[in-house]
């Protein structure tokens, strides 16, 4: 792994095209696996720590219940990918047949490449609120 950045350099910056491509490929790979019902393969796109904390049956239940657009996704649109060499973040608009939602993905660079460490669903805007 690359050494951790310190001081002012520790702030994530827009990723290089190469890093962006790797990160998007990781997230797309997991989304594609969910689309195909390949939950074991989808689980493999998570970090080693997350896989230990959330075994396959647990992760499957969480995604089905709390991340319905990811579970039933049909496509995704990616925002700006930012990274510091070890961690990366990107907001992804995930579309399902009847709904869509924005998710913040956090990824970590492991020996096997970029892996998903966390996902946070944006709450839908309430009617009448900006």
């Amino acid at each position: 792994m690359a050494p951790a950045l310190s001081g002012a350099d520790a702030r994530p910056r827009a990723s290089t095209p190469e890093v962006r491509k790797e990160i998007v490929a990781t997230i797309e790979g997991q989304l594609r696996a969910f689309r195909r019902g390949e939950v074991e393969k989808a689980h493999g796109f998570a970090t080693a720590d997350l896989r230990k904390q959330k075994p396959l049956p647990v992760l499957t239940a969480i995604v089905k219940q709390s991340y319905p657009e990811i579970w039933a996704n049909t496509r995704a649109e990616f925002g700006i990918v930012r990274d510091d060499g070890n961690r990366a973040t990107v907001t992804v608009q995930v579309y399902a047949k009847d709904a869509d939602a924005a998710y913040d993905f956090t990824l970590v660079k492991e020996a096997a490449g970029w892996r998903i460490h966390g996902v946070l669903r944006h709450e839908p805007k309430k009617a009448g609120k900006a």
Side-chain angles (χ1 to χ4, degrees):
M1 265 192 221
L5 299 174
S6 62
D9 291 336
R11 286 177 276 154
R13 296 190 173 132
S15 300
T16 64
E18 296 80 19
V19 169
R20 183 183 198 287
K21 184 177 177 180
E22 292 172 19
I23 290 168
V24 168
T26 297
I27 297 169
E28 280 283 11
Q30 187 181 61
L31 293 174
R32 184 173 34 260
F34 279 125
R35 275 195 301 274
R36 294 177 177 170
E38 299 170 342
V39 293
E40 192 169 328
K41 186 172 185 176
H43 194 243
F45 286 97
T47 61
D49 285 344
L50 188 58
R51 289 192 311 269
K52 287 178 193 171
Q53 293 171 15
K54 309 277 191 242
L56 183 60
V58 173
L59 180 75
T60 300
I62 289 170
V63 175
K64 276 184 175 179
Q65 184 172 8
S66 300
Y67 306 106
E69 297 84 8
I70 289 175
W71 181 257
N73 78 89
T74 57
R75 68 182 178 93
E77 295 176 359
F78 293 82
I80 297 170
V81 178
R82 291 182 171 81
D83 79 277
D84 67 4
N86 295 310
R87 295 180 68 82
T89 59
V90 60
T91 300
V92 183
Q93 191 71 26
V94 180
Y95 296 86
K97 184 179 177 187
D98 297 322
D100 67 279
Y103 289 90
D104 290 332
F105 280 76
T106 301
L107 294 91
V108 174
K109 182 79 177 216
E110 294 184 336
W114 289 98
R115 294 292 179 254
I116 299 165
H117 189 68
V119 179
L120 178 64
R121 186 178 192 272
H122 288 226
E123 289 301 314
K125 292 181 182 175
K126 304 288 183 206
K129 295 199 176 195

